[in-house]
Protein backbone atom coordinates (compact mmCIF):
# COMPACT_ATOMS: atom_id res chain seq x y z
CA UNK A 1 0.00 0.00 0.00
CA UNK A 2 1.10 3.59 -0.57
CA UNK A 3 2.62 5.50 2.34
CA UNK A 4 0.11 7.62 4.28
CA UNK A 5 1.30 10.41 6.54
CA UNK A 6 -1.12 12.12 8.92
CA UNK A 7 -0.72 15.78 9.81
CA UNK A 8 -1.79 17.18 13.16
CA UNK A 9 -4.52 19.76 12.79
CA UNK A 10 -4.40 22.97 14.80
CA UNK A 11 -7.50 24.03 16.71
CA UNK A 12 -8.20 27.42 18.23
CA UNK A 13 -10.19 25.60 20.92
CA UNK A 14 -6.96 24.25 22.46
CA UNK A 15 -6.72 26.99 25.03
CA UNK A 16 -8.48 27.80 28.28
CA UNK A 17 -12.19 27.68 27.63
CA UNK A 18 -15.20 28.68 29.69
CA UNK A 19 -14.91 26.34 32.69
CA UNK A 20 -12.39 23.98 31.05
CA UNK A 21 -8.81 24.68 32.26
CA UNK A 22 -6.01 24.98 29.70
CA UNK A 23 -4.19 22.01 31.26
CA UNK A 24 -7.17 19.76 30.50
CA UNK A 25 -7.04 20.76 26.84
CA UNK A 26 -3.26 20.33 26.81
CA UNK A 27 -3.64 16.79 28.13
CA UNK A 28 -6.20 15.98 25.46
CA UNK A 29 -3.98 17.48 22.78
CA UNK A 30 -1.03 15.34 23.89
CA UNK A 31 -3.19 12.23 23.53
CA UNK A 32 -4.31 13.42 20.09
CA UNK A 33 -0.67 14.03 19.09
CA UNK A 34 0.40 10.57 20.25
CA UNK A 35 -2.37 8.90 18.26
CA UNK A 36 -1.46 10.87 15.12
CA UNK A 37 2.13 9.63 15.46
CA UNK A 38 1.07 6.05 16.13
CA UNK A 39 -1.38 5.97 13.21
CA UNK A 40 1.33 7.32 10.89
CA UNK A 41 3.78 4.72 12.25
CA UNK A 42 1.28 1.94 11.58
CA UNK A 43 0.65 3.16 8.04
CA UNK A 44 4.42 3.25 7.47
CA UNK A 45 4.89 -0.33 8.68
CA UNK A 46 1.88 -1.58 6.71
CA UNK A 47 3.47 -0.23 3.54
CA UNK A 48 6.49 -2.47 4.18
CA UNK A 49 4.84 -5.56 5.68
CA UNK A 50 5.24 -8.91 3.92
CA UNK A 51 1.70 -10.05 3.06
CA UNK A 52 2.99 -13.57 2.63
CA UNK A 53 3.53 -13.84 6.39
CA UNK A 54 -0.08 -12.97 7.31
CA UNK A 55 -1.52 -15.32 9.93
CA UNK A 56 -4.69 -15.23 12.11
CA UNK A 57 -2.90 -16.39 15.28
CA UNK A 58 -0.04 -13.91 15.15
CA UNK A 59 1.59 -11.90 12.41
CA UNK A 60 2.88 -8.36 12.03
CA UNK A 61 0.10 -7.63 9.55
CA UNK A 62 -2.58 -8.80 12.01
CA UNK A 63 -1.13 -6.70 14.86
CA UNK A 64 -0.90 -3.60 12.69
CA UNK A 65 -4.41 -4.03 11.29
CA UNK A 66 -5.79 -4.37 14.84
CA UNK A 67 -3.89 -1.32 16.05
CA UNK A 68 -4.90 0.95 13.18
CA UNK A 69 -8.58 1.44 14.19
CA UNK A 70 -7.50 2.20 17.77
CA UNK A 71 -5.09 4.97 16.75
CA UNK A 72 -6.98 6.33 13.74
CA UNK A 73 -10.33 6.17 15.53
CA UNK A 74 -8.91 8.29 18.35
CA UNK A 75 -7.44 10.79 15.86
CA UNK A 76 -10.75 11.29 14.12
CA UNK A 77 -12.71 11.42 17.39
CA UNK A 78 -10.40 14.10 18.83
CA UNK A 79 -10.63 16.12 15.64
CA UNK A 80 -14.43 16.11 15.73
CA UNK A 81 -14.41 17.00 19.44
CA UNK A 82 -11.88 19.84 19.12
CA UNK A 83 -13.64 21.21 16.05
CA UNK A 84 -16.89 21.67 17.99
CA UNK A 85 -15.34 23.64 20.86
CA UNK A 86 -14.76 27.38 21.06
CA UNK A 87 -18.39 28.37 20.62
CA UNK A 88 -20.73 30.25 22.94
CA UNK A 89 -22.79 27.27 24.07
CA UNK A 90 -26.33 28.18 25.10
CA UNK A 91 -29.30 26.72 23.25
CA UNK A 92 -28.72 24.75 20.06
CA UNK A 93 -29.75 26.13 16.69
CA UNK A 94 -33.42 25.73 15.80
CA UNK A 95 -32.69 22.85 13.39
CA UNK A 96 -30.68 20.92 15.96
CA UNK A 97 -33.14 21.62 18.76
CA UNK A 98 -36.02 20.41 16.60
CA UNK A 99 -34.14 17.16 15.87
CA UNK A 100 -33.33 16.69 19.56
CA UNK A 101 -36.96 17.30 20.51
CA UNK A 102 -38.10 14.76 17.93
CA UNK A 103 -35.74 12.01 19.11
CA UNK A 104 -35.32 12.75 22.85
CA UNK A 105 -38.47 14.69 23.75
CA UNK A 106 -36.67 17.96 24.49
CA UNK A 107 -33.21 19.53 24.62
CA UNK A 108 -33.22 19.04 28.41
CA UNK A 109 -33.95 15.33 28.04
CA UNK A 110 -31.14 15.05 25.50
CA UNK A 111 -28.71 16.62 28.00
CA UNK A 112 -29.92 14.30 30.78
CA UNK A 113 -29.39 11.26 28.55
CA UNK A 114 -26.00 12.58 27.38
CA UNK A 115 -24.81 12.95 30.98
CA UNK A 116 -26.05 9.49 31.97
CA UNK A 117 -24.31 8.02 28.91
CA UNK A 118 -21.08 9.80 29.83
CA UNK A 119 -21.27 8.47 33.40
CA UNK A 120 -21.68 4.94 32.01
CA UNK A 121 -18.71 5.35 29.66
CA UNK A 122 -15.01 4.81 30.37
CA UNK A 123 -13.84 6.93 27.49
CA UNK A 124 -16.08 8.55 24.88
CA UNK A 125 -19.67 9.69 24.45
CA UNK A 126 -21.20 10.73 21.15
CA UNK A 127 -24.39 11.93 19.54
CA UNK A 128 -24.80 10.02 16.28
CA UNK A 129 -27.34 9.88 13.49
CA UNK A 130 -28.35 6.31 12.72
CA UNK A 131 -28.62 6.50 8.93
CA UNK A 132 -30.95 3.51 8.73
CA UNK A 133 -33.44 4.77 11.31
CA UNK A 134 -32.82 8.46 10.55
CA UNK A 135 -32.80 9.25 14.25
CA UNK A 136 -30.33 10.60 16.78
CA UNK A 137 -28.83 8.43 19.52
CA UNK A 138 -26.45 9.09 22.42
CA UNK A 139 -23.89 6.28 22.42
CA UNK A 140 -20.77 5.45 24.40
CA UNK A 141 -17.41 3.89 23.69
CA UNK A 142 -14.87 2.78 26.24
CA UNK A 143 -12.49 3.39 23.31
CA UNK A 144 -13.16 5.27 20.11
CA UNK A 145 -13.28 1.94 18.27
CA UNK A 146 -16.55 1.16 20.06
CA UNK A 147 -18.16 4.14 18.30
CA UNK A 148 -17.41 2.73 14.85
CA UNK A 149 -20.73 1.05 14.00
CA UNK A 150 -21.77 0.85 10.37
CA UNK A 151 -24.18 3.62 9.34
CA UNK A 152 -23.68 5.68 12.49
CA UNK A 153 -22.63 9.19 11.51
CA UNK A 154 -21.07 11.30 14.30
CA UNK A 155 -22.74 14.63 15.06
CA UNK A 156 -21.13 15.42 18.43
CA UNK A 157 -18.19 13.59 20.04
CA UNK A 158 -16.84 14.17 23.56
CA UNK A 159 -13.77 12.68 25.23
CA UNK A 160 -14.93 11.89 28.78
CA UNK A 161 -12.30 9.57 30.23
CA UNK A 162 -11.44 9.35 33.92
CA UNK A 163 -8.06 10.91 33.22
CA UNK A 164 -9.68 13.95 31.64
CA UNK A 165 -12.14 14.69 34.43
CA UNK A 166 -10.12 13.55 37.46
CA UNK A 167 -8.04 16.61 38.30
CA UNK A 168 -10.23 19.54 37.28
CA UNK A 169 -13.74 18.10 37.69
CA UNK A 170 -13.29 15.87 40.74
CA UNK A 171 -14.34 12.85 38.65
CA UNK A 172 -17.78 14.40 38.14
CA UNK A 173 -18.78 13.77 34.52
CA UNK A 174 -21.95 15.86 34.84
CA UNK A 175 -19.89 18.96 35.67
CA UNK A 176 -17.57 18.17 32.78
CA UNK A 177 -20.43 17.74 30.29
CA UNK A 178 -21.91 21.04 31.50
CA UNK A 179 -18.55 22.71 30.82
CA UNK A 180 -18.33 21.19 27.34
CA UNK A 181 -21.85 22.34 26.48
CA UNK A 182 -20.94 25.90 27.53
CA UNK A 183 -18.24 25.88 24.86
CA UNK A 184 -20.06 24.14 22.00
CA UNK A 185 -20.37 25.74 18.59
CA UNK A 186 -23.92 24.71 17.75
CA UNK A 187 -23.52 25.96 14.19
CA UNK A 188 -20.85 23.28 13.68
CA UNK A 189 -23.14 20.68 15.24
CA UNK A 190 -25.85 21.76 12.78
CA UNK A 191 -23.39 21.47 9.90
CA UNK A 192 -22.53 17.91 10.98
CA UNK A 193 -26.23 17.05 11.20
CA UNK A 194 -27.00 18.50 7.77
CA UNK A 195 -24.12 16.57 6.24
CA UNK A 196 -25.16 13.33 7.94
CA UNK A 197 -28.78 13.64 6.77
CA UNK A 198 -27.62 13.79 3.17
CA UNK A 199 -25.74 10.46 3.37
CA UNK A 200 -27.36 7.33 1.96
CA UNK A 201 -26.79 4.35 4.29
CA UNK A 202 -24.63 1.52 3.00
CA UNK A 203 -26.52 -1.68 2.24
Amino acid sequence: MHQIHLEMRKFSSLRELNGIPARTMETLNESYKNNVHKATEIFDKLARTDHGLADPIYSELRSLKLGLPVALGAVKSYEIFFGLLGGKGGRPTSMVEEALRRDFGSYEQFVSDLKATAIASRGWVALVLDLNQKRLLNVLGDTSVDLAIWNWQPILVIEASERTIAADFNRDRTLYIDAVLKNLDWNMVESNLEGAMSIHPAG
Side-chain angles (χ1 to χ4, degrees), residues 19-21 23-25 27-28 81 115 118-125 158-180:
I20 304 179
R23 65 179 178 179
T24 296
M25 299 309 299
T27 298
L28 292 171
F81 180 36
K115 289 178 178 179
I119 290 170
S121 176
R122 297 173 184 169
W124 296 85
V125 61
I158 301 173
E159 206 272 22
S161 65
E162 183 78 8
R163 176 195 59 191
T164 300
I165 64 171
D168 298 310
F169 297 92
N170 197 29
R171 294 183 170 83
D172 189 332
R173 283 186 171 84
T174 60
L175 290 178
Y176 173 68
I177 295 298
D178 280 336
V180 170

Side-chain angles (χ1 to χ4, degrees), residues 39 49 54 64 72 101 113 122 132 144 162 166 170 172 177 199:
T49 298
L64 292 170
L72 194 57
R101 187 183 306 114
D113 187 71
R122 297 173 184 169
N132 299 101
S144 57
E162 183 78 8
N170 197 29
D172 189 332
I177 295 298
I199 298 173

Side-chain angles (χ1 to χ4, degrees), residues 21-169:
R23 65 179 178 179
T24 296
M25 299 309 299
E26 289 166 4
T27 298
L28 292 171
N29 192 46
E30 280 302 309
S31 181
Y32 167 56
K33 179 180 179 180
N34 181 60
N35 279 285
V36 169
H37 290 328
K38 284 300 176 182
T40 298
E41 180 183 347
I42 291 171
F43 278 128
D44 178 60
K45 289 182 178 180
L46 281 172
R48 297 180 281 106
T49 298
D50 186 347
H51 288 184
L53 299 177
D55 186 271
I57 298 174
Y58 170 77
S59 62
E60 182 181 36
L61 180 68
R62 175 179 170 80
S63 295
L64 292 170
K65 291 282 188 175
L66 286 173
L68 183 60
V70 176
L72 194 57
V75 169
K76 294 185 178 186
S77 295
Y78 277 119
E79 288 180 347
I80 296 171
F81 180 36
F82 293 157
L84 294 174
L85 296 177
K88 298 180 180 179
R91 303 289 297 192
T93 64
S94 57
M95 174 188 173
V96 174
E97 186 161 19
E98 180 180 344
L100 294 176
R101 187 183 306 114
R102 179 196 68 208
D103 294 332
F104 292 93
S106 67
Y107 169 68
E108 289 74 18
Q109 287 176 280
F110 154 72
V111 172
S112 176
D113 187 71
L114 181 70
K115 289 178 178 179
T117 306
I119 290 170
S121 176
R122 297 173 184 169
W124 296 85
V125 61
L127 173 68
V128 302
L129 179 69
D130 186 302
L131 299 180
N132 299 101
Q133 299 182 40
K134 290 296 182 185
R135 63 159 293 156
L136 295 169
L137 302 168
N138 283 326
V139 299
L140 63 81
D142 290 341
T143 71
S144 57
V145 177
D146 300 326
L147 301 176
I149 303 296
W150 301 130
N151 293 335
W152 275 3
Q153 189 65 16
I155 308 301
L156 166 63
V157 178
I158 301 173
E159 206 272 22
S161 65
E162 183 78 8
R163 176 195 59 191
T164 300
I165 64 171
D168 298 310
F169 297 92

